[in-house]
Amino acid sequence: MPRGEQTSEDEYNRVVQAARDEFERALQVAREKFQNVQQAAEKNYTNAREEIRIKYVKPGEPIPAAYEKAALAVQDELYKVVQAAQQEYDKAYQAAWDKYIKAVQAARDEFDK
């Protein structure tokens, strides 16, 4: 392989690796955001369940329907928050992937010249 071709291939590999590194960093940021939202939602859920339990459940008495209804509402809210965070993660993943593919394709086009 002539020296010029090796240099072009090295540059191509460098660009692809840089794009891959950027993709991985973007995924890490998105993953951390999702995990932070999920952890906060779970903590809020636990606290809310405890507040509801204290409000509705009296020792030695049957669990009232109002407690169950309030607990389900809190659980539904947790699900919505985590689902929204998952959708944001999915969007971030897709955007990072699209950017990576474009960078690799641009590098390939440049290398093929």
Side-chain angles (χ1 to χ4, degrees):
M1 175 182 307
R3 175 99 173 111
E5 285 183 30
Q6 182 62 44
T7 302
S8 294
E9 187 172 349
D10 289 346
E11 178 63 15
Y12 168 77
N13 290 336
R14 187 195 65 71
V15 169
V16 169
Q17 186 59 51
R20 181 69 183 183
D21 292 346
E22 186 175 335
F23 172 70
E24 292 294 334
R25 281 190 300 276
L27 282 187
Q28 184 62 32
V29 168
R31 193 176 301 114
E32 287 172 4
K33 283 181 182 179
F34 172 74
Q35 289 170 343
N36 289 342
V37 168
Q38 185 178 31
Q39 288 170 354
E42 288 172 355
K43 183 178 179 182
N44 290 343
Y45 171 73
T46 300
N47 292 341
R49 285 283 303 222
E50 183 62 16
E51 289 174 16
I52 293 166
R53 188 191 63 74
I54 290 168
K55 181 177 178 180
Y56 290 106
V57 179
K58 307 298 180 222
E61 295 181 14
I63 296 174
Y67 168 76
E68 294 296 333
K69 184 176 179 180
L72 285 174
V74 168
Q75 186 175 348
D76 287 346
E77 191 58 35
L78 167 71
Y79 176 76
K80 289 176 188 173
V81 168
V82 172
Q83 186 178 34
Q86 180 66 51
Q87 289 171 349
E88 286 300 313
Y89 173 81
D90 292 345
K91 283 187 222 174
Y93 179 95
Q94 190 62 53
W97 180 253
D98 291 347
K99 187 174 182 179
Y100 169 71
I101 293 300
K102 286 178 185 175
V104 170
Q105 187 58 51
R108 172 54 57 196
D109 292 347
E110 186 64 29
F111 179 69
D112 288 344
K113 285 183 180 179

